[in-house]
Amino acid sequence: MRAGSASSGGIVGPQARAPRLVVAGFGLVLALLSAEVVARIEGPPVCADEQALLLAADPEVGWTFTPGLTVTLHPCGSLAAPRRWSAPLAINSQGLHDQEWPLAKGPGEVRVLLLGGEVADGVGLTRTDRLSVRLAHLSDSRRGAKVAAINATIPGYGAAESLRFLERRGLAWSPDVVVLLIDPEHDLAAALDPPEPRLAPGDVPPASGLIDLSGLARWAARRPAVRAGTAVEIEPPTPLASPEQRAAALARLRDTVARIAEVSREAGAKLAIAITPRCPSLAPPAEGASLCDALSEVAPCVDLTRGFAELERSSRGEAELCIPGDARWGRDGHFLASHEIWNLLAEKGLWPPTVVRAHRL
């Protein structure tokens, strides 16, 4: 009798081994499936300045982020060079850099709608570092209401575009509080020279064929799934050239903000304003303070330029206030803004009484 047989008391293994090719094939299929999942989550690497890829025309609100877009952003020219940063970007079906939001609120839920341009849209950061997520996490949902902050900040938007979005789409989420983020450098100029979307093909062609079906193929080809014909570019507004132009722009901006306050109030929401400095220069604190004073007659306002200047000075330039080479805030900028905005809403009584502050940063 052979050694290892049942009569000898040994353990009997399989008499025939599976072919090694089958095992190797199974491992290869598993690896490809895993790579496909990762590729679909992270998306292909693209240049962060590819605006015509990130934005899409929208017949209702002018333009939004490209709905359903999933990519990993890198600084331009750095795909083959050492990378200073990279960040995944996932756009929901509503064209927002955020999770999917149902129109109906959850039981007892308090909603904040963030409106504004790109400085605080969170592109280039992980989800947990974004202003909307940080603001929501400052609430204690065990002792009070759950706070949900909807990130409706979109590149190129000024106050007029935010008003259009609020009226045509934002109110559908039934916000309790609307926070309008004002970029002094962009929004004053945009008040006289409103931005308009311009159709552009972009440098990255849309996916097609196998590339359209496979996230791994899109990653290898560096082609995100973007519908042809919808990509747009937004030309920056013409800078203000005189004190007279600035005065006219301020008057028009104030009228638009007053309309946002009225629309919010009629829908049962309260408006707050935050003056948001633009990177990398960051608006001088004096400019932010004067703009905040002018708009505080319409709604409660907090000037973030002062806090940014103080943090930059106290940290000796080591705070991550800005994303390198970009107009957007970095991680510390979003952290600072979330606390400043929360404090404004609390001091002015804009939070519903069910909201409780958490004892954590």
Side-chain angles (χ1 to χ4, degrees):
M1 182 177 293
R2 292 179 301 171
S5 65
S7 62
S8 63
I11 299 176
V12 179
Q15 298 301 307
R17 296 181 179 179
R20 292 184 178 181
L21 289 179
V22 174
V23 175
F26 178 79
L28 178 61
V29 170
L30 184 61
L32 289 174
L33 288 176
S34 300
E36 175 70 18
V37 171
V38 173
R40 285 180 177 269
I41 293 175
E42 294 190 353
V46 299
C47 170
D49 286 348
E50 182 51 56
Q51 185 183 171
L53 171 68
L54 300 182
L55 303 178
D58 186 291
E60 186 177 30
V61 296
W63 70 92
T64 65
F65 281 105
T66 303
L69 179 68
T70 300
V71 295
T72 296
L73 295 178
H74 300 283
C76 293
S78 68
L79 292 178
R83 296 168 181 168
R84 293 173 295 169
W85 61 270
S86 65
L89 175 76
I91 307 303
N92 66 18
S93 63
Q94 299 146 331
L96 303 182
H97 184 211
D98 208 340
Q99 67 186 60
E100 296 288 343
W101 287 105
L103 296 182
K105 289 182 180 178
E109 183 180 69
V110 172
R111 284 186 171 178
V112 179
L113 179 65
L114 299 179
L115 298 173
E118 67 267 25
V119 294
D121 63 14
V123 171
L125 299 177
T126 61
R127 181 181 182 276
T128 54
D129 287 327
R130 292 203 299 259
L131 172 60
S132 57
V133 177
R134 285 195 172 277
L135 187 62
H137 285 178
L138 288 175
S139 66
D140 190 335
S141 59
R142 293 175 299 177
R143 297 187 297 141
K146 175 186 176 182
V147 172
I150 300 174
N151 181 23
T153 55
I154 298 174
Y157 271 32
E161 292 70 38
S162 294
L163 170 60
R164 181 173 59 195
F165 186 93
L166 177 66
E167 291 179 317
R168 300 182 182 181
R169 191 166 297 174
L171 293 180
W173 284 297
S174 302
D176 299 280
V177 180
V178 176
V179 178
L180 176 64
L181 307 176
I182 297 288
D183 173 1
E185 182 178 335
H186 175 275
D187 291 11
L188 278 171
L192 294 185
D193 182 20
E196 292 291 338
R198 178 170 59 87
L199 291 177
D203 295 332
V204 181
S208 60
L210 176 62
I211 296 178
D212 188 36
L213 298 175
S214 169
L216 185 59
R218 289 196 296 271
W219 183 89
R222 294 177 178 172
R223 293 188 184 182
V226 179
R227 295 180 181 177
T230 62
V232 297
E233 294 177 333
I234 312 298
E235 292 293 331
T238 304
L240 302 176
S242 67
E244 292 76 18
Q245 281 190 341
R246 192 182 192 285
L250 180 57
R252 186 170 297 180
L253 176 62
R254 187 185 182 282
D255 290 343
T256 303
V257 174
R259 178 58 183 161
I260 293 175
E262 181 182 4
V263 170
S264 301
R265 184 170 57 251
E266 291 174 351
K270 300 175 180 179
L271 176 67
I273 303 167
I275 306 302
T276 58
R278 169 177 287 254
C279 295
S281 59
L282 298 178
E287 180 179 350
S290 64
L291 182 56
C292 200
D293 289 341
L295 297 177
S296 61
E297 301 174 1
V298 177
C301 180
V302 60
D303 172 28
L304 299 180
T305 60
R306 182 175 305 172
F308 272 65
E310 292 176 355
L311 180 58
E312 187 174 35
R313 182 171 57 255
S314 63
S315 68
R316 299 180 181 179
E318 295 182 359
E320 295 181 24
L321 289 174
C322 300
I323 292 179
D326 200 285
R328 296 176 169 91
W329 295 343
R331 180 180 60 185
D332 292 330
H334 285 254
F335 176 86
L336 172 64
S338 66
H339 285 265
E340 294 275 2
I341 292 173
W342 179 284
N343 292 340
L344 173 70
L345 300 181
E347 291 170 2
K348 300 301 181 180
L350 302 184
W351 282 122
T354 55
V355 174
V356 178
R357 173 72 180 264
H359 299 294
R360 62 176 183 269
L361 295 178

